[in-house]
Every structure is written in structure tokens, then in C-alpha cells.
Amino acid sequence: MGPLTLSVDMKSSSSDASNRKMHSLQWQRKNFFASVSTGEEKPFDFLRTLFEGFVAGGTAGVVVETALYPIDTIKTRLQASRGGGQIILNGLYSGLAGNLAGVLPASALFIGVYEPAKKKLLKMFPEDLSALAHLAAGACGGLAASLIRVPTEVVKQRMQTGQFASAPNAVRLIVASEGFKGLYAGYGSFLLRDLPFDAMQFCIYEQLRIGYKLAAKRELNDPENAIIGAFAGAVTGAITTPLDVIKTRLMIQGSGNQYKGIVDCVQTIIREEGPPALIKGIGPRVLWIGIGGSIFFGVLESTKRMLAERHSTHEIFDSKKD
């Protein structure tokens, strides 16, 4: 009876294990594009994640801004023009130096906040709701970076439209004529554009990477990350173009206060220029953000990987010393 009982228990145990395995496989198939589980996770190192995010974000932001600044200038001038005015193509790098002074800390702050927030939120949300974690983390990063991004954007866009010759001169005259709040002109419209933009772009990017990695059953290489980043950027850029037009008009109006706010800006543009004016510059914007997304995410993932490998090498070296 002993062996028989043992045999039955073994069969039962084997059956239970098989059932659990089948259930696990069904669960994985069900969450094909949402599962972020990669096996046993290492303890979360907040400071290292924050530091690596700052370095990777700052590097990616500077590379993108330097490479694509002329396209951004053309986009800004298209959106700022009224009644189909002629676009001046000289001085396409006007304001780049001052802009980089803001882009570097803003990009660093964004990724520095995004990466730790993403890792914390992914642990809080169920696997099938990972998209919400990416959306929320993107919005958190955008909100933190807006404190630097908005003054940088105000100065940059006024220089791109020929109002000022240098960044220091722009800051001095804006504060003199409009007060310190002039550097935050259009802040509400900026958040209206950038929070949805950041949330959507990073969510699309992260979710596509998850799906691709599950399908390929391996880590992605830099060209693959770049292609996914380009797609995420182009789609998000097209969707948020009307918000970008509103933001541009409010930021460059200066002390004249042509628009009383976001609603008045929309109403005035539609009344005086027609609804198509709300998608002015969509071509350069999609091109700029698509290429920018490709470069940004490619550089970002490459830098993150190099920093992780450097950290692992130091850990191995330290363990050998011990």
C-alpha cells in the first residue's frame, strides 16, 4: 500500500505542477504586450538609478537638440507666422547655445525622475497594467522637467522668431519688461502639451519594447530601440501638434498679450486663420520628433547599458578585492 500511495501522490504532484505550468503559459499569452517580468529582480538602488538617469537623459537630450535644432526653428517660425507669411531660413541655429544650457539639466532631470518612478510604479501596478505605470512615470518626469524646460523654451522660441540676438539679452529684457513670470509665459499650455506628450511617447515606446522583446526572446539592439523610438515620437508628435501651436503662440506673444489664455488663443486662431492653423508645422514637427525620438532613445538605451556594464565591472572588481 505504501508504494501505491507514493505513486498516487507523485502523479497528483506531477499533475498539479503541469496545471500550474499551463496556467502560467496561458497568463503569459494573455499579457503578451504588458508583462514586464524578467525573472528574479535585483534590489532597487534609487541613487544609482537616479544618477544613471541624469547622465543618460542629459547625454541624449544634448545630442538630439544639437542635431535637429534647425528643423525645430523652421517648425517654430511656421507656427508663429500669421496668414501664411514667408518663412525666413537664415539663422536656423539661433539660440542653440542658450537652449543647450537648459536642455542638458531638463533632460537629465526628466530621465532622473522617470526611471526611478517607473521602477517603483511597475512594482505597485499589476503586470497587465504596466502601461499605466509608464504613463504616470512619463507625466512625473515631464512635470519635474517643466521647471527648467519652460524658461528655456520661452527664450529659445523668441530667439528663433528674431526677437532677441542672445540668450542672456533675452532673459534680461524679458524679466525687465514682463517680470520673472515672463520666463514662464505659456506655462499652462506647455503642461497641456508636454504632460500628455511625455506620457504617451514613453508609454508607446516602453510597451512596444516589451512586446518586441517577448516576441524576439532577447534584448533589443540600438538600431531596434531607435526605430521604436522614432515611431513613438512621430505618432505622439502628430497627435499633439495643435497643443504645440497653442503653446508657441502664447510663449512668443510677449507683453502685448494678444491672447488672454488657452481658450481665447484657440478661438482667435480659428476665427482669424481657420482650423487648419492648429496643425501648422505638423510636417517639420513629426519629422523633428520622429528623428529626435530615434536618436534620443537610441542614445538613451546605449548610455544606460554602458553605465550598467561599468557598474557591473566595478562590482566584480570590488568583490575580487574582498
Side-chain angles (χ1 to χ4, degrees), residues 3 33-34 62 72 89 95 127 132 142 144 165-166 174 186 197 234 240-241 243 247 250 253 259 262 291:
F33 288 102
V62 167
D72 182 39
L89 296 180
E127 285 189 11
L132 294 181
S166 68
I174 289 171
F197 177 89
T240 57
T241 295
L243 301 177
K247 185 264 317 174
L250 289 171
Q253 67 177 334
Y259 308 110
I262 295 172
I291 298 174

mmCIF file of all heavy atoms in Angstrom, residues 3 33-34 62 72 89 95 127 132 142 144 165-166 174 186 197 234 240-241 243 247 250 253 259 262 291:
data_model
loop_
_atom_site.group_PDB
_atom_site.id
_atom_site.type_symbol
_atom_site.label_atom_id
_atom_site.label_comp_id
_atom_site.label_asym_id
_atom_site.label_seq_id
_atom_site.Cartn_x
_atom_site.Cartn_y
_atom_site.Cartn_z
ATOM 1 N N PRO A 3 3.920 1.858 -1.416
ATOM 2 C CA PRO A 3 4.349 2.293 -2.743
ATOM 3 C C PRO A 3 3.214 2.843 -3.577
ATOM 4 O O PRO A 3 3.389 3.768 -4.338
ATOM 5 C CB PRO A 3 4.934 1.018 -3.353
ATOM 6 C CG PRO A 3 5.353 0.208 -2.179
ATOM 7 C CD PRO A 3 4.350 0.488 -1.128
ATOM 8 N N PHE A 33 1.687 41.789 -24.429
ATOM 9 C CA PHE A 33 2.276 43.104 -24.603
ATOM 10 C C PHE A 33 2.336 43.910 -23.312
ATOM 11 O O PHE A 33 2.591 45.082 -23.337
ATOM 12 C CB PHE A 33 1.488 43.905 -25.656
ATOM 13 C CG PHE A 33 1.710 43.395 -27.041
ATOM 14 C CD1 PHE A 33 0.776 42.603 -27.673
ATOM 15 C CD2 PHE A 33 2.882 43.685 -27.711
ATOM 16 C CE1 PHE A 33 0.989 42.131 -28.952
ATOM 17 C CE2 PHE A 33 3.111 43.216 -28.987
ATOM 18 C CZ PHE A 33 2.157 42.443 -29.606
ATOM 19 N N ALA A 34 2.079 43.266 -22.175
ATOM 20 C CA ALA A 34 2.079 44.035 -20.943
ATOM 21 C C ALA A 34 3.002 43.458 -19.884
ATOM 22 O O ALA A 34 3.330 44.127 -18.937
ATOM 23 C CB ALA A 34 0.660 44.128 -20.382
ATOM 24 N N VAL A 62 21.104 66.482 -25.238
ATOM 25 C CA VAL A 62 22.057 67.367 -25.915
ATOM 26 C C VAL A 62 22.316 66.912 -27.349
ATOM 27 O O VAL A 62 22.366 67.726 -28.277
ATOM 28 C CB VAL A 62 23.382 67.443 -25.122
ATOM 29 C CG1 VAL A 62 24.481 68.100 -25.952
ATOM 30 C CG2 VAL A 62 23.171 68.223 -23.826
ATOM 31 N N ASP A 72 13.597 72.328 -35.749
ATOM 32 C CA ASP A 72 12.762 72.921 -34.702
ATOM 33 C C ASP A 72 12.551 74.402 -34.969
ATOM 34 O O ASP A 72 11.450 74.936 -34.756
ATOM 35 C CB ASP A 72 13.425 72.700 -33.339
ATOM 36 C CG ASP A 72 12.582 73.244 -32.199
ATOM 37 O OD1 ASP A 72 11.345 73.102 -32.259
ATOM 38 O OD2 ASP A 72 13.150 73.804 -31.243
ATOM 39 N N LEU A 89 14.771 81.584 -43.622
ATOM 40 C CA LEU A 89 15.553 80.382 -43.351
ATOM 41 C C LEU A 89 16.970 80.655 -42.860
ATOM 42 O O LEU A 89 17.734 79.715 -42.672
ATOM 43 C CB LEU A 89 15.605 79.507 -44.622
ATOM 44 C CG LEU A 89 14.252 78.956 -45.104
ATOM 45 C CD1 LEU A 89 14.447 78.117 -46.360
ATOM 46 C CD2 LEU A 89 13.578 78.145 -44.013
ATOM 47 N N GLY A 95 20.058 80.765 -31.041
ATOM 48 C CA GLY A 95 19.619 80.387 -29.699
ATOM 49 C C GLY A 95 20.039 79.011 -29.246
ATOM 50 O O GLY A 95 19.662 78.580 -28.152
ATOM 51 N N GLU A 127 0.941 43.414 -13.568
ATOM 52 C CA GLU A 127 1.680 43.322 -14.828
ATOM 53 C C GLU A 127 0.842 43.761 -16.025
ATOM 54 O O GLU A 127 1.352 44.367 -16.961
ATOM 55 C CB GLU A 127 2.179 41.886 -15.052
ATOM 56 C CG GLU A 127 3.371 41.524 -14.178
ATOM 57 C CD GLU A 127 3.972 40.188 -14.574
ATOM 58 O OE1 GLU A 127 3.589 39.661 -15.633
ATOM 59 O OE2 GLU A 127 4.818 39.683 -13.830
ATOM 60 N N LEU A 132 -0.114 51.885 -17.557
ATOM 61 C CA LEU A 132 -0.462 52.974 -16.654
ATOM 62 C C LEU A 132 0.764 53.451 -15.869
ATOM 63 O O LEU A 132 0.915 54.643 -15.610
ATOM 64 C CB LEU A 132 -1.558 52.530 -15.679
ATOM 65 C CG LEU A 132 -2.930 52.221 -16.290
ATOM 66 C CD1 LEU A 132 -3.909 51.817 -15.202
ATOM 67 C CD2 LEU A 132 -3.457 53.442 -17.054
ATOM 68 N N GLY A 142 7.907 64.692 -16.864
ATOM 69 C CA GLY A 142 7.596 65.930 -17.577
ATOM 70 C C GLY A 142 7.296 67.079 -16.643
ATOM 71 O O GLY A 142 7.712 68.222 -16.880
ATOM 72 N N ALA A 144 8.401 67.505 -13.532
ATOM 73 C CA ALA A 144 9.650 67.944 -12.895
ATOM 74 C C ALA A 144 10.504 68.754 -13.870
ATOM 75 O O ALA A 144 11.017 69.827 -13.522
ATOM 76 C CB ALA A 144 10.431 66.730 -12.390
ATOM 77 N N ALA A 165 18.826 88.657 -29.830
ATOM 78 C CA ALA A 165 20.045 88.192 -30.502
ATOM 79 C C ALA A 165 20.826 87.186 -29.674
ATOM 80 O O ALA A 165 21.608 86.410 -30.213
ATOM 81 C CB ALA A 165 20.934 89.382 -30.841
ATOM 82 N N SER A 166 20.640 87.208 -28.341
ATOM 83 C CA SER A 166 21.381 86.286 -27.487
ATOM 84 C C SER A 166 20.522 85.882 -26.298
ATOM 85 O O SER A 166 19.605 86.613 -25.904
ATOM 86 C CB SER A 166 22.691 86.921 -26.993
ATOM 87 O OG SER A 166 22.416 87.987 -26.093
ATOM 88 N N ILE A 174 13.302 90.168 -21.079
ATOM 89 C CA ILE A 174 12.006 89.562 -20.735
ATOM 90 C C ILE A 174 11.661 89.879 -19.286
ATOM 91 O O ILE A 174 10.537 90.287 -18.964
ATOM 92 C CB ILE A 174 12.032 88.041 -20.966
ATOM 93 C CG1 ILE A 174 12.055 87.727 -22.462
ATOM 94 C CG2 ILE A 174 10.802 87.372 -20.326
ATOM 95 C CD1 ILE A 174 12.286 86.263 -22.782
ATOM 96 N N GLY A 186 3.055 81.076 -20.974
ATOM 97 C CA GLY A 186 2.536 79.869 -21.623
ATOM 98 C C GLY A 186 2.762 78.609 -20.827
ATOM 99 O O GLY A 186 2.722 77.507 -21.388
ATOM 100 N N PHE A 197 2.147 64.552 -23.972
ATOM 101 C CA PHE A 197 3.182 64.121 -24.916
ATOM 102 C C PHE A 197 4.159 63.161 -24.261
ATOM 103 O O PHE A 197 4.430 62.069 -24.777
ATOM 104 C CB PHE A 197 3.935 65.334 -25.470
ATOM 105 C CG PHE A 197 5.060 64.961 -26.398
ATOM 106 C CD1 PHE A 197 4.826 64.816 -27.753
ATOM 107 C CD2 PHE A 197 6.342 64.726 -25.927
ATOM 108 C CE1 PHE A 197 5.850 64.446 -28.617
ATOM 109 C CE2 PHE A 197 7.374 64.362 -26.771
ATOM 110 C CZ PHE A 197 7.119 64.221 -28.132
ATOM 111 N N ALA A 234 7.092 60.077 -33.623
ATOM 112 C CA ALA A 234 6.328 60.597 -34.755
ATOM 113 C C ALA A 234 4.828 60.566 -34.477
ATOM 114 O O ALA A 234 4.108 61.537 -34.743
ATOM 115 C CB ALA A 234 6.650 59.790 -36.009
ATOM 116 N N THR A 240 -0.139 65.655 -30.908
ATOM 117 C CA THR A 240 -0.073 66.823 -30.023
ATOM 118 C C THR A 240 0.273 68.130 -30.745
ATOM 119 O O THR A 240 0.514 69.150 -30.085
ATOM 120 C CB THR A 240 0.967 66.589 -28.904
ATOM 121 O OG1 THR A 240 2.245 66.313 -29.497
ATOM 122 C CG2 THR A 240 0.549 65.427 -28.010
ATOM 123 N N THR A 241 0.266 68.151 -32.073
ATOM 124 C CA THR A 241 0.600 69.365 -32.816
ATOM 125 C C THR A 241 -0.303 70.553 -32.473
ATOM 126 O O THR A 241 0.198 71.671 -32.264
ATOM 127 C CB THR A 241 0.583 69.110 -34.339
ATOM 128 O OG1 THR A 241 1.630 68.190 -34.671
ATOM 129 C CG2 THR A 241 0.807 70.397 -35.117
ATOM 130 N N LEU A 243 -1.741 71.299 -29.728
ATOM 131 C CA LEU A 243 -1.316 71.789 -28.415
ATOM 132 C C LEU A 243 0.002 72.543 -28.529
ATOM 133 O O LEU A 243 0.238 73.521 -27.813
ATOM 134 C CB LEU A 243 -1.169 70.615 -27.442
ATOM 135 C CG LEU A 243 -2.417 69.758 -27.200
ATOM 136 C CD1 LEU A 243 -2.099 68.598 -26.263
ATOM 137 C CD2 LEU A 243 -3.544 70.615 -26.627
ATOM 138 N N LYS A 247 0.798 76.473 -27.556
ATOM 139 C CA LYS A 247 1.917 76.765 -26.668
ATOM 140 C C LYS A 247 2.867 77.776 -27.300
ATOM 141 O O LYS A 247 3.320 78.730 -26.653
ATOM 142 C CB LYS A 247 2.647 75.460 -26.338
ATOM 143 C CG LYS A 247 3.762 75.552 -25.332
ATOM 144 C CD LYS A 247 5.146 75.696 -25.917
ATOM 145 C CE LYS A 247 5.463 74.835 -27.085
ATOM 146 N NZ LYS A 247 6.776 75.132 -27.681
ATOM 147 N N LEU A 250 1.335 81.410 -27.362
ATOM 148 C CA LEU A 250 1.294 82.031 -26.030
ATOM 149 C C LEU A 250 2.685 82.413 -25.542
ATOM 150 O O LEU A 250 2.853 83.422 -24.861
ATOM 151 C CB LEU A 250 0.624 81.085 -25.031
ATOM 152 C CG LEU A 250 -0.890 80.900 -25.202
ATOM 153 C CD1 LEU A 250 -1.396 79.784 -24.297
ATOM 154 C CD2 LEU A 250 -1.641 82.193 -24.922
ATOM 155 N N GLN A 253 4.127 85.714 -27.591
ATOM 156 C CA GLN A 253 3.334 86.939 -27.721
ATOM 157 C C GLN A 253 3.929 88.102 -26.933
ATOM 158 O O GLN A 253 3.627 89.274 -27.201
ATOM 159 C CB GLN A 253 1.892 86.687 -27.292
ATOM 160 C CG GLN A 253 1.708 86.384 -25.824
ATOM 161 C CD GLN A 253 0.243 86.219 -25.460
ATOM 162 O OE1 GLN A 253 -0.634 86.766 -26.119
ATOM 163 N NE2 GLN A 253 -0.020 85.469 -24.406
ATOM 164 N N TYR A 259 -3.299 87.149 -26.738
ATOM 165 C CA TYR A 259 -4.246 86.121 -26.303
ATOM 166 C C TYR A 259 -4.404 86.185 -24.786
ATOM 167 O O TYR A 259 -3.441 86.384 -24.052
ATOM 168 C CB TYR A 259 -3.731 84.733 -26.702
ATOM 169 C CG TYR A 259 -3.368 84.612 -28.169
ATOM 170 C CD1 TYR A 259 -2.030 84.484 -28.553
ATOM 171 C CD2 TYR A 259 -4.341 84.637 -29.154
ATOM 172 C CE1 TYR A 259 -1.685 84.368 -29.896
ATOM 173 C CE2 TYR A 259 -4.005 84.526 -30.502
ATOM 174 C CZ TYR A 259 -2.674 84.395 -30.860
ATOM 175 O OH TYR A 259 -2.334 84.292 -32.182
ATOM 176 N N ILE A 262 -5.509 80.084 -22.904
ATOM 177 C CA ILE A 262 -5.558 78.953 -23.836
ATOM 178 C C ILE A 262 -6.826 78.962 -24.673
ATOM 179 O O ILE A 262 -6.781 78.845 -25.901
ATOM 180 C CB ILE A 262 -5.432 77.625 -23.055
ATOM 181 C CG1 ILE A 262 -4.052 77.523 -22.401
ATOM 182 C CG2 ILE A 262 -5.659 76.429 -23.983
ATOM 183 C CD1 ILE A 262 -3.895 76.344 -21.457
ATOM 184 N N ILE A 291 12.701 61.766 -35.900
ATOM 185 C CA ILE A 291 14.159 61.590 -35.924
ATOM 186 C C ILE A 291 14.722 61.771 -34.519
ATOM 187 O O ILE A 291 15.609 61.031 -34.083
ATOM 188 C CB ILE A 291 14.816 62.595 -36.895
ATOM 189 C CG1 ILE A 291 14.314 62.364 -38.319
ATOM 190 C CG2 ILE A 291 16.335 62.472 -36.852
ATOM 191 C CD1 ILE A 291 14.788 63.398 -39.319
#
